[in-house]
Amino acid sequence: MGQFHRAAGAIVAPVWQDEYLLTADQLGLVISVIFIVNIVAQGFIGFLLDRIGPRRIISLFLLILAFGTLACTFTSSFTTLILARILLGLGLSVGGVGMYMLLARNFPANQFGYLNGLMVTLGGFGGLLATYPLAVGIARFGWVNVFIGLSVFTAAFAAAVFLVTKKDPVDSPEANGPAPGFLDLIKDGRVRPVLIMSTVIWAPITAITGLWGGPYYKAVHALSLEATGLFQMLFFCATMASGMAYGFIDLWGRFSRYSVILTGALISVTSLAVLAITPDMPLWAANFLLFVMIFAQQFYVPLIAQLRQVVPDAAIGRATSLYTIIAVAAIPTFQTLFGVVIRQTAGLPAEQSYRLGFALMAVMVLTPTLVFAFSKAARQP
């Protein structure tokens, strides 16, 4: 469900922009507000997961997600749409940390990267449904009816999770010891490069698949909503294939995580840079470069495995919460800044405006990548 709603923005964004007459800045805020709420809720979510357990908390927040999805259908303005999206974002806030906690507590540490890659691939089915199938559904039935159906499905999904999840989390003896605090983790030289790199793990993907991919195809290539959804579906196929590829490399490959992470990030930067410097790029070439960028961006699979490697078991919850806060905070930053570029260059042809947006993204990904590259502490075995 998290992958679905993060990807759905690119499909519903043009629809909401036309229906509510939203500016680029307003559209960026409507789509990215769920990530802002996610950041704010992380500390509280971690506390609830520790005290009550993933089974009840994940089920409860899926119900909140169902209500937030339904609330979107009752909106009539930019303000009410923001309020509904805030509720939806609260429901989504349990996903990442809750899953990391389940993986860390129930499986051996050396399988963490592979299992996270598997989770990415399985989650990709949700993102896949938010591309071409969602576009077709909106075109045939209207977005309101589609969201009502999503709300019903999410409520049923919450009940299913409650029924099949273990009643009590499995604690290891080490997990009961004293845990480093957030400040201790930030000061840890082995953890800090991972946190710096986490600023660019999800944001570049979500900037395209979750928001600006839709308007880009509409404004630059004049594609219909269904055609846009078809290409967005292709991109989520990239995340699914890449999640497993990175997972297998982490489990059985002979490459260091440092080299795998660095290679993926540099391929992503190169793809964005080519998009930025090439005028009048044909549709097939733009699709290829975006596919490569999104595929390479799944380097967060070995990155979270490296975080698992360098923190003690007692600190997994705090470490993954901190990692998630930083990673999610970057998402609205990328989406909003991309929107600012589009608005500030409104006098230019749309193709040039989006090229400048891609150039900004390339610089934003390259900066922490260089810090990671020159960090000795990042070169874990």
Side-chain angles (χ1 to χ4, degrees):
M1 295 310 299
Q3 289 279 38
F4 179 92
H5 282 284
R6 292 184 185 99
I11 301 300
V12 299
V15 178
W16 286 345
Q17 189 173 30
D18 292 341
E19 181 163 338
Y20 298 108
L21 303 177
L22 303 178
T23 65
D25 290 351
Q26 288 177 323
L27 183 62
L29 182 58
V30 164
I31 301 302
S32 63
V33 71
I34 65 174
F35 305 108
I36 298 172
V37 174
N38 203 315
I39 300 163
V40 175
Q42 282 306 305
F44 181 59
I45 291 295
F47 171 78
L48 290 177
L49 286 168
D50 284 335
R51 290 293 299 271
I52 301 175
R55 175 174 176 254
R56 285 179 287 179
I57 294 304
I58 292 176
S59 300
L60 172 63
F61 276 76
L62 277 173
L63 287 176
I64 295 174
L65 175 61
F67 187 71
T69 305
L70 184 63
C72 289
T73 67
F74 291 98
T75 57
S76 58
S77 65
F78 166 69
T79 302
T80 54
L81 185 59
I82 285 288
L83 293 175
R85 295 281 290 177
I86 288 173
L87 190 61
L88 192 151
L90 180 62
L92 288 173
S93 62
V94 75
V97 177
M99 286 305 302
Y100 293 143
M101 179 180 290
L102 289 174
L103 292 180
R105 285 184 170 188
N106 292 278
F107 297 93
N110 68 329
Q111 295 183 13
F112 190 83
Y114 166 72
L115 290 168
N116 187 43
L118 180 61
M119 183 176 73
V120 170
T121 297
L122 296 176
F125 284 104
L128 206 61
L129 291 172
T131 55
Y132 182 69
L134 177 62
V136 171
I138 291 176
R140 302 280 175 84
F141 307 108
W143 75 268
V144 171
N145 291 327
V146 169
F147 269 56
I148 291 173
L150 284 171
S151 177
V152 174
F153 173 78
T154 307
F157 193 46
V161 169
F162 185 80
L163 291 173
V164 303
T165 306
K166 288 183 179 180
K167 291 185 178 181
D168 298 306
V170 179
D171 287 314
S172 62
E174 295 84 1
N176 296 323
F182 286 111
L183 187 58
D184 297 322
L185 291 169
I186 293 172
K187 291 179 178 179
D188 191 324
R190 300 171 303 164
V191 175
R192 195 159 51 242
V194 177
L195 296 180
I196 291 172
M197 201 63 187
S198 71
T199 59
V200 291
I201 53 170
W202 298 330
I205 303 172
T206 311
I208 300 301
T209 63
L211 176 55
W212 291 109
Y216 166 72
Y217 280 120
K218 179 181 178 181
V220 177
H221 298 288
L223 296 187
S224 67
L225 185 64
E226 291 189 22
T228 298
L230 190 61
F231 287 121
Q232 293 290 87
M233 185 171 69
L234 178 67
F235 297 152
F236 265 88
C237 287
T239 67
M240 295 166 67
S242 183
M244 283 309 301
Y246 275 110
F248 282 129
I249 290 172
D250 192 78
L251 186 62
W252 292 306
R254 298 182 178 181
F255 307 101
S256 69
R257 285 175 179 148
Y258 168 81
S259 62
V260 174
I261 293 165
L262 200 56
T263 300
L266 290 176
I267 290 174
S268 177
V269 170
T270 302
S271 300
L272 289 168
V274 174
L275 278 165
I277 66 176
T278 306
D280 300 320
M281 180 171 288
L283 177 61
W284 70 266
N287 286 332
F288 174 77
L289 289 169
L290 288 172
F291 183 93
V292 171
M293 185 275 285
I294 291 167
F295 189 98
Q297 277 290 144
Q298 309 302 315
F299 64 79
Y300 70 77
V301 171
L303 187 69
I304 187 66
Q306 180 158 323
L307 180 67
R308 174 70 179 89
Q309 178 184 350
V310 299
V311 299
D313 287 349
I316 289 298
R318 289 178 176 85
T320 53
S321 292
L322 185 60
Y323 173 92
T324 302
I325 289 169
I326 295 171
V328 174
I331 293 174
T333 303
F334 267 68
Q335 291 181 333
T336 302
L337 288 178
F338 202 109
V340 169
V341 170
I342 300 303
R343 180 174 61 83
Q344 293 295 333
T345 58
L348 298 175
E351 189 263 351
Q352 292 184 25
S353 294
Y354 279 92
R355 282 172 54 202
L356 290 172
F358 291 135
L360 175 65
M361 284 181 60
V363 172
M364 293 176 72
V365 176
L366 180 61
T367 303
T369 300
L370 291 176
V371 174
F372 185 85
F374 290 103
S375 171
K376 292 182 179 179
R379 301 177 186 181
Q380 297 295 323

